[in-house]
Amino acid sequence: MSHIATGGGGPLPVTVLLVEDDEVIRRSVAMALERYGYRVSTAGDGLTGLELFRAGGHDLLLLDVMLPGLDGIGLCRRIRETSMDPILMMSARGDDLDVISGLEAGADDYVVKPVDTAVLVARIRSLLRRATYPPATSSSAMYPPAAASADPAAPAAAGSAGPQPGPRHHHGARLRFGDLTIDTGGLEVFLAGEPIALAPTELRLLLEFAAHPGIVLDRETLLRDVWDYDWDGDSRVVDLCVQRLRKKIGTGRIETVRGFGYKLRR
């Protein structure tokens, strides 16, 4: 059975909110996930899905793109106004516009319908791992160079930028890249002293860049280390997440090295 660890009293079952207008697909996906031990709440339209989301109690959201009333893209945007819960979009066509629109709206990943149950469960598990356990920072982040200096005088915690540290994360320093401060132990990010709210995937991506300042990271490496893919993923999820991250931390901090990948400027 699929669980999320808790501080005491044993693990809790993972609850997925599935919003899909096709009743046959909705029932088959829900039954498949339940066989893997997930609890599943379902809705057949976007507005009902939004109501269920607001009622709380979900660990991950699985949203179809084409929904009546409020479509999946709009629903994703509404959810992102108040929540950083993992969001997985489903597209019937794998259309570029659907994919890009979903990722720009704040989705963490997407799958194309019909999707194999094993693939869907693997994506869900990957998203949950990324939301629960940020990547362990390397020695370059633990003992940063002068350009990315530890900052003991960085602002005190004013709000979490992501999930609490998991067992894979080392207790780290506060790194400074200009007016950008990254607390690698507390998992908080500040820009000019003000806290920034980052989605779990955005935080993991920033931590990966901060662990390798000035080093070009290609998309395949980022898909493996940030998205936790054991197979070839769509590099567009990297590009769109970089775009979202740039909007939050400053457009000039992550440099595109054409033909190779991205790097965080020292």
Side-chain angles (χ1 to χ4, degrees):
M1 188 167 187
S2 299
H3 297 86
I4 287 182
T6 61
L12 297 176
V14 173
T15 301
V16 175
L17 173 57
L18 167 63
V19 187
E20 164 64 63
D21 64 318
D22 187 303
E23 184 176 358
V24 174
I25 295 176
R26 187 170 67 248
R27 287 185 175 181
S28 63
V29 171
M31 289 175 62
L33 293 179
E34 286 169 350
R35 283 197 296 270
Y36 277 84
Y38 295 94
R39 289 182 177 174
V40 183
S41 301
T42 63
D45 63 84
L47 291 175
T48 302
L50 183 61
E51 290 178 4
L52 289 176
F53 159 73
R54 287 174 172 168
H58 302 100
D59 303 297
L60 180 140
L61 300 103
L62 183 56
L63 312 179
D64 184 32
V65 170
M66 302 297 292
L67 294 171
L70 177 65
D71 67 16
I73 307 299
L75 177 57
C76 182
R77 289 197 182 98
R78 297 285 290 275
I79 291 169
R80 278 289 175 256
E81 290 175 358
T82 59
S83 172
M84 295 302 173
D85 290 343
I87 298 176
L88 180 61
M89 301 293 297
M90 296 189 296
S91 169
R93 299 167 295 174
D95 182 84
D96 283 355
L97 183 58
D98 285 349
V99 172
I100 292 172
S101 297
L103 295 173
E104 286 182 337
D108 296 285
D109 203 352
Y110 78 97
V111 292
V112 177
K113 297 187 298 184
V115 58
D116 181 79
T117 300
V119 172
L120 178 60
V121 170
R123 294 290 182 95
I124 289 174
R125 287 174 175 169
S126 176
L127 279 175
L128 290 170
R129 283 196 301 268
R130 282 149 47 189
T132 306
Y133 304 133
T137 50
S138 71
S139 58
S140 63
M142 297 297 293
Y143 303 100
S149 58
D151 178 24
S160 175
Q164 294 302 307
R168 288 172 54 195
H169 196 275
H170 300 293
H171 294 291
R174 295 187 181 219
L175 312 181
R176 287 185 62 90
F177 299 87
D179 60 354
L180 178 68
T181 301
I182 305 170
D183 182 347
T184 63
L187 300 180
E188 295 171 319
V189 180
F190 303 88
L191 183 62
E194 295 297 322
I196 303 174
L198 298 181
T201 303
E202 295 166 353
L203 176 59
R204 287 178 63 94
L205 182 60
L206 181 59
L207 287 171
E208 189 68 22
F209 281 129
H212 307 89
I215 297 175
V216 177
L217 302 178
D218 61 39
R219 292 169 177 82
E220 290 74 21
T221 297
L222 293 171
L223 281 170
R224 182 191 68 228
D225 295 343
V226 177
W227 275 262
D228 199 20
Y229 282 169
D230 294 325
W231 62 89
D232 291 334
D234 189 335
S235 64
R236 288 176 296 185
V237 301
V238 177
D239 298 333
L240 269 296
C241 193
V242 167
Q243 288 184 27
R244 295 204 311 264
L245 188 56
R246 281 171 169 163
K247 291 178 181 178
K248 294 183 178 182
I249 69 171
T251 57
R253 297 185 187 280
I254 300 175
E255 179 182 347
T256 300
V257 181
R258 195 171 299 277
F260 292 93
Y262 301 98
K263 69 177 180 180
L264 181 66
R265 290 177 174 169
R266 293 179 180 271

